[in-house]
Amino acid sequence: MPDITSTLARWRVPIGFVCGAVVVVLARPTLRSLAVGGTVATVGEVVRVWAAGHLEKGREVTRSGPYRVTRHPLYVGSALIGAGAAIAAARLGVGLLVAAYCVTTIAAAIRHEEANMRASFGDQYQAYLESRARPVERTFSLGRALRNHEHRAIAGLVIIAAIFAAKAVLGSR
């Protein structure tokens, strides 16, 4: 029987869609909150694209690009996107929901992913965790980012930004 960590890790995307729908309904963005939150979310997406452009998922312990700085740059980017959405929504309840979602699902995903990496790559992953592994020189690849489906995250961010912008403009009338 799977534990709660594995379950949360596997279900984080569907749970995210449900939370996202609640965020959209509850959001009361202003042009100012949209500008600030949109900036934070955009930085988060830039981090995700940078990471996805270096990631060879399931094939190696990636040690180039942002993986030289942090073990989980995709999750760092996702957390920034969540923070940006919460800021843009301009509602305390949305901020609390986003924080609860990010803390629980990202923490679960990290634990689950690290267990899988240890199982798949053993000492190679342990060396990476302990900063004993040498960084790899690899250039960013937009094609790699697309193969890692980062265009889906970009599309989602654009859709939410458009909805929030419409709510901000229509709500100010």
Side-chain angles (χ1 to χ4, degrees):
M1 179 169 194
D3 65 356
I4 189 71
T5 297
S6 297
T7 302
L8 273 173
R10 263 194 317 281
W11 284 86
R12 74 183 180 278
V13 173
I15 294 168
F17 281 117
V18 171
C19 288
V22 172
V23 165
V24 167
V25 169
L26 296 178
R28 298 293 177 260
T30 64
L31 294 177
R32 183 167 189 244
S33 73
L34 188 59
V36 174
T39 300
V40 172
T42 299
V43 168
E45 187 53 45
V46 167
V47 169
R48 284 190 55 87
V49 168
W50 183 31
H54 283 270
L55 180 63
E56 290 291 346
K57 193 180 287 187
R59 296 183 187 160
E60 66 177 21
V61 178
T62 303
R63 299 179 318 231
S64 63
Y67 291 90
R68 296 171 85 167
V69 180
T70 180
R71 293 188 298 215
H72 303 287
L74 287 168
Y75 298 135
V76 170
S78 293
L80 287 169
I81 291 169
I87 292 165
R91 302 283 283 201
L92 178 60
V94 168
L96 294 173
L97 174 64
V98 169
Y101 170 79
C102 285
V103 167
T104 57
T105 62
I106 290 174
I110 287 171
R111 283 193 297 275
H112 184 74
E113 181 179 297
E114 287 188 347
N116 288 340
M117 293 294 286
R118 280 187 185 92
S120 296
F121 299 103
D123 189 53
Q124 185 183 5
Y125 187 64
Q126 193 61 38
Y128 171 73
L129 294 176
E130 295 170 1
S131 299
R132 293 185 288 121
R134 300 183 80 149
V136 172
E137 293 299 326
R138 175 187 295 152
T139 58
F140 170 83
S141 165
L142 182 58
R144 191 179 295 117
L146 293 173
R147 281 191 306 277
N148 284 316
H149 306 290
E150 198 54 34
H151 57 285
R152 294 176 183 170
I154 293 168
L157 187 58
V158 168
I159 289 167
I160 294 299
I163 292 168
F164 276 22
K167 286 186 90 163
V169 169
L170 296 174
S172 67
R173 292 182 178 193

